[in-house]
Amino acid sequence: MLRNYSNSRTLGDNIRLGTLTAFTAGTINIASLLIFLSFTSNVTGHYAILAAEISKGNWSQVAVVGLWIFLFFFGSFVSNFIVINFNKRSKYFAHSMPLVLEIICLLFVGIYGQFYYQKTLEETEYLVALMLFATGLQNGLTASISNFSVKTTHLTGTTTDLGILFSMFTQKKFRKNGELVGRAKLLLSIMVAYVLGAVFSGLTYYYLEFRVFYVISLCLLVVIGYDAYKIHIRHFNTQYRYSKIYKKATVMAYLYDKIHGIPEIKAEMKDKREKKRKLVFED
């Protein structure tokens, strides 16, 4: 999900990344709505509030809402900044770091809300700001590494694109276009995952309250851990193959044999080689 970049990504990579991050975005959005009475996975509504507060001349609220919008923007900025500056060193590190920062933000909201939150207006404004920064990180990351194919924190563009695609599918030539069909599958999976995350948050919030942010963090850890697992397994197998090609014992090969066992054919060949060595020695 995080190893590949831009056009090297497959449809499966984007669907896996899109569904898991959309699920977390839906969960975050409903949790923030129930707790803080504010949406935090997108800033469309905040732009409307900003304009309304400007027309009223309520400059203190203009500053607050303007800060919220800026932090969502800044989250996207930070994500792409990390990706483009650290991509050559390690794609996995560059792509996972924004999610690590998002997890830190969400854990802070969960811990503070569970133990210290006094339901004051100032606390609410700061926590909403932090959550907007976190979702900006997520949206910036998914859009950046997928060449703008995956955006998971809001469904406005997704719904529009699906409407366009379904209108195209009324013609047979477009239904046979694999790229368009794949795009529709991706958008549908994001939409369904977002709704499921929102439903999950609505059903569990009254039992978990602020602990729902721990569940969201766990989902993001799955995204990070999936690729870490794949990378280490691939490295493990590569080291094993090299050791067999060059007939050189390595720790990786030893561990591989211990975990998977030595096949009977290889065991027989090993016994034959040992017998030959003994015969030569005896001669």
Side-chain angles (χ1 to χ4, degrees):
M1 285 184 281
L2 299 176
R3 290 169 294 165
N4 298 326
Y5 181 67
S6 190
N7 294 327
S8 64
R9 297 179 62 83
T10 65
L11 177 62
D13 292 334
N14 286 336
I15 287 178
R16 283 190 290 271
L17 178 65
T19 51
L20 282 172
T21 53
F23 181 86
T24 60
T27 309
I28 290 171
N29 205 32
I30 296 303
S32 65
L33 178 63
L34 294 173
I35 298 171
F36 306 120
L37 302 178
S38 178
F39 294 110
T40 56
S41 71
N42 62 83
V43 291
T44 305
H46 295 310
Y47 275 105
I49 295 171
L50 179 68
E53 296 299 336
I54 291 174
S55 65
K56 294 176 183 177
N58 193 351
W59 301 113
S60 61
Q61 285 303 109
V62 168
V64 170
V65 179
L67 177 64
W68 289 352
I69 294 171
F70 171 78
L71 284 172
F72 189 89
F73 157 83
F74 188 63
S76 297
F77 171 86
V78 170
S79 280
N80 195 61
F81 182 85
I82 293 172
V83 169
I84 63 177
N85 283 282
F86 294 95
N87 216 0
K88 292 183 179 179
R89 295 186 181 180
S90 170
K91 287 182 180 179
Y92 174 71
F93 173 81
H95 298 174
S96 61
M97 199 60 204
L99 291 184
V100 172
L101 294 176
E102 182 183 2
I103 289 171
I104 292 171
C105 292
L106 295 176
L107 286 177
F108 178 85
V109 173
I111 293 170
Y112 186 90
Q114 185 177 357
F115 298 106
Y116 306 106
Y117 186 50
Q118 301 296 319
K119 298 183 180 181
T120 64
L121 180 61
E122 290 77 12
E123 287 177 309
T124 300
E125 290 173 347
Y126 285 128
L127 292 177
V128 168
L130 189 60
M131 292 175 68
L132 282 164
F133 175 71
T135 51
L137 284 168
Q138 178 179 307
N139 205 43
L141 172 70
T142 56
S144 178
I145 67 175
S146 67
N147 198 20
F148 299 96
S149 296
V150 180
K151 295 178 182 178
T152 58
T153 60
H154 56 278
L155 298 182
T156 306
T158 303
T159 306
T160 303
D161 292 347
L162 276 174
I164 294 170
L165 286 171
F166 275 72
S167 70
M168 294 174 71
F169 290 154
T170 58
Q171 295 186 15
K172 188 176 181 180
K173 63 178 180 178
F174 293 119
R175 292 197 297 271
K176 291 185 176 181
N177 188 316
E179 185 177 349
L180 293 178
V181 172
R183 177 69 177 165
K185 289 179 179 178
L186 172 62
L187 295 176
L188 277 172
S189 65
I190 290 172
M191 180 181 288
V192 171
Y194 188 97
V195 173
L196 288 175
V199 172
F200 170 80
S201 183
L203 292 175
T204 59
Y205 165 73
Y206 296 103
Y207 302 99
L208 298 176
E209 294 183 341
F210 277 94
R211 289 186 292 272
V212 72
F213 293 105
Y214 305 152
V215 177
I216 299 168
S217 300
L218 183 62
C219 292
L220 293 172
L221 279 175
V222 170
V223 177
I224 296 173
Y226 177 85
D227 280 78
Y229 170 79
K230 288 287 185 180
I231 289 169
H232 285 88
I233 290 297
R234 178 189 291 179
H235 179 71
F236 189 84
N237 290 335
T238 301
Q239 290 292 323
Y240 175 72
R241 288 199 303 271
Y242 285 171
S243 70
K244 293 303 178 184
I245 292 170
Y246 297 109
K247 308 297 182 184
K248 183 179 178 182
T250 65
V251 176
M252 289 293 179
Y254 175 77
L255 292 174
Y256 190 96
D257 287 337
K258 285 295 183 182
I259 294 170
H260 297 279
I262 302 175
E264 294 181 1
I265 297 174
K266 289 185 179 179
E268 290 176 3
M269 291 176 65
K270 188 176 180 181
D271 291 338
K272 287 180 181 179
R273 284 198 299 270
E274 289 178 354
K275 286 180 181 178
K276 286 181 181 179
R277 287 174 184 170
K278 287 180 181 179
L279 289 172
V280 170
F281 180 76
E282 286 172 0
D283 290 341

